Amino acid sequence: SSSSSSLHYLIAEPNGGNLTMRTIRQSHSLTILAIAVATRAGHSSANRGWARFPPPNFQRVQSLRPNININSSAISDKINHIPASIISLSIRGGSSTSANEDECPTEDDDDADEMRRQKREEYEKLVKYRTEQQMLYQLRSTYLTEMLASRGVPLPTIMSVSTADGEKPPEKVDWDCALSTDDDPKSCLYSFDAEPDTKVVAPLGTDQWISLSALNRLRRTDPTKVEPMWHSRYSILQSWFSDESEFSMLQHVGAKGFFVSSVLLDGGNGMVLRSLLVLSVLSALVLLMPLLEFIVGRIIVSAPFWAQWPTWGRVARAGFPLKLLIGQMAWKAVASCFSKFENEVREYIVDLECEILESSVPVTVGLGSEEIMDEEDFDEYDDEYDDEY
């Protein structure tokens, strides 16, 4: 156009994307140009599905613009007179840089999240492994303690340190002894009915009887099952079979019972009996050594023995590892035989201890009961005897 007060400019409409030609005043040309560029950039980024149009030809616009000087104050004064439709184009378009940053995280953020997740998984695996190892160590320690305690090593066990919830530890208690007969049979916690003409014992003031022989045999074979007979209310082992207890039955067994119970069976947790058996076996071998030498010599020079040379000759010419293995197997066989021999001797001594208890423990209740005098009663009886004689 030849008019100096107007300017032709291309503006992109947001609803259709078509380029239209509008005539505006030359005083607003700079402002309108900035708004149009912002509107074009905003709508092209916000509406990704729309067709992308080529940018306006600024050279054509510059060629159409007359050479005029525009004062910035004039633009600021007349900025309020810009049509609202043109301003709405810039506001509605806007910039999408921050929105894209929020909606589409960068690769660095993804890598950081993945690294944090891997570190958390590794830490959880490490904590789980350490917890399992700690539990295994505790279980192994408990198992070894139980095994050593079963072999006589003085170590605390689960049964010795555990008490039921809300219950008191077992208390020491005195005992009553009665005689079970055909006329007056007694029940037994171990075998239901006690054998006739045998003694039964029970905690003082109760009728929970058990055969004296069965009780002694049970404490020698499996002592953990003794106190549960009375629901772990009484400390039977410490009260009735301990030398330090005032209610101990062993104070009635005499010298023979002391040697059998305290020396052979309890001495060194069974080491005294085992040592005596080893000495006995060695003594028997020494005494029989001449006979054994004669028998071995006759076997070595015999023809049947050398007839088997192809068989045992291979072992004689074998290397040291095979000989060591054969020696270990022979030692295990000898140790097994000795263990069986020791168990047989121990059972015999336990039976002997039961007979001593049956004959020495006094009957305090029922038929054949005897009054057990304490030290004061014995002194009074001694004074009365002295006065009479």
Side-chain angles (χ1 to χ4, degrees):
S1 175
S2 61
S3 177
S4 61
S5 62
S6 62
L7 179 65
H8 294 281
Y9 190 74
L10 295 174
I11 297 178
E13 291 295 335
N15 53 0
N18 298 322
L19 296 178
T20 59
M21 183 72 71
R22 289 187 180 181
T23 304
I24 57 177
R25 298 179 63 85
Q26 64 181 1
S27 59
H28 299 295
S29 62
L30 210 57
T31 303
I32 297 304
L33 180 62
I35 293 174
V37 172
T39 305
R40 175 63 179 174
H43 284 290
S44 62
S45 60
N47 303 306
R48 296 179 180 272
W50 298 353
R52 297 182 178 270
F53 299 98
N57 192 351
F58 291 103
Q59 295 179 356
R60 180 185 177 185
V61 175
Q62 293 294 336
S63 63
L64 296 174
R65 178 181 176 182
N67 296 327
I68 57 175
N69 294 326
I70 300 174
N71 192 1
S72 61
S73 60
I75 296 175
S76 61
D77 293 337
K78 297 181 180 180
I79 190 66
N80 296 325
H81 299 286
I82 300 175
S85 61
I86 299 177
I87 297 177
S88 64
L89 295 176
S90 176
I91 296 175
R92 188 171 61 179
S95 176
S96 60
T97 304
S98 60
N100 292 336
E101 291 180 355
D102 295 338
E103 294 177 358
C104 301
T106 61
E107 295 182 357
D108 295 338
D109 296 338
D110 295 340
D111 296 339
D113 294 340
E114 183 67 20
M115 186 176 298
R116 284 194 295 269
R117 186 182 64 80
Q118 292 179 358
K119 289 183 178 180
R120 183 170 61 254
E121 291 179 356
E122 292 178 358
Y123 177 75
E124 292 176 355
K125 291 180 180 179
L126 180 62
V127 171
K128 182 180 179 181
Y129 171 76
R130 290 180 177 177
T131 304
E132 292 177 353
Q133 292 298 315
Q134 184 68 23
M135 294 175 64
L136 290 176
Y137 287 150
Q138 293 178 355
L139 182 61
R140 184 178 298 176
S141 176
T142 304
Y143 178 75
L144 291 177
T145 302
E146 293 290 337
M147 293 299 296
L148 292 175
S150 64
R151 296 185 180 184
V153 180
L155 292 174
T157 60
I158 297 178
M159 293 298 298
S160 63
V161 300
S162 62
T163 55
D165 296 337
E167 295 185 0
K168 297 180 180 179
E171 57 182 6
K172 291 186 177 182
V173 65
D174 200 355
W175 48 270
D176 278 334
C177 182
L179 184 64
S180 178
T181 60
D182 294 332
D183 298 333
D184 186 16
K186 299 293 183 181
S187 61
C188 180
L189 296 176
Y190 188 75
S191 59
F192 298 103
D193 292 326
E195 297 181 1
D197 299 328
T198 58
K199 294 180 180 179
V200 292
V201 292
L204 185 64
T206 65
D207 57 351
Q208 298 175 351
W209 303 101
I210 187 173
S211 175
L212 181 59
S213 300
L215 175 62
N216 183 70
R217 190 174 290 106
L218 183 62
R219 82 176 181 98
R220 290 299 183 185
T221 56
D222 193 358
T224 59
K225 295 181 180 180
V226 174
E227 294 179 358
M229 290 286 183
W230 292 272
H231 306 286
S232 300
R233 293 178 56 189
Y234 308 109
S235 180
I236 302 298
L237 298 177
Q238 294 295 327
S239 301
W240 298 357
F241 299 100
S242 177
D243 296 333
E244 300 176 355
S245 177
E246 57 182 342
F247 309 122
S248 178
M249 296 180 182
L250 301 179
Q251 59 185 341
H252 304 285
V253 297
K256 182 180 179 181
F258 173 79
F259 177 76
V260 171
S261 299
S262 301
V263 177
L264 293 180
L265 297 177
D266 295 335
N269 294 323
M271 289 300 298
V272 174
L273 178 60
R274 189 175 294 109
S275 301
L276 290 176
L277 291 177
V278 171
L279 291 175
S280 301
V281 172
L282 293 178
S283 300
L285 290 176
V286 170
L287 293 175
L288 298 176
M289 185 60 67
L291 179 61
L292 293 176
E293 289 180 355
F294 176 77
I295 295 174
V296 172
R298 296 299 298 176
I299 292 174
I300 290 177
V301 299
S302 63
F305 177 75
W306 287 101
Q308 300 296 327
W309 166 255
T311 302
W312 59 266
R314 299 176 182 177
V315 179
R317 295 194 303 265
F320 178 74
L322 179 59
K323 295 179 180 179
L324 180 61
L325 178 61
I326 294 174
Q328 290 178 352
M329 295 175 62
W331 171 256
K332 289 182 179 180
V334 172
S336 178
C337 294
F338 181 79
S339 178
K340 292 180 180 179
F341 175 67
E342 181 185 0
N343 291 335
E344 294 291 337
V345 174
R346 183 180 177 83
E347 289 181 2
Y348 173 78
I349 296 177
V350 169
D351 293 338
L352 181 60
E353 183 185 27
C354 294
E355 293 178 0
I356 294 174
L357 288 174
E358 284 281 350
S359 60
S360 60
V361 173
V363 178
T364 60
V365 177
L367 183 63
S369 61
E370 301 176 4
E371 183 179 359
I372 302 176
M373 295 185 299
D374 54 11
E375 186 176 357
E376 296 179 357
D377 295 338
F378 183 79
D379 293 338
E380 292 178 359
Y381 177 79
D382 192 16
D383 294 339
E384 292 177 358
Y385 181 82
D386 292 339
D387 294 338
E388 291 179 0
Y389 298 97

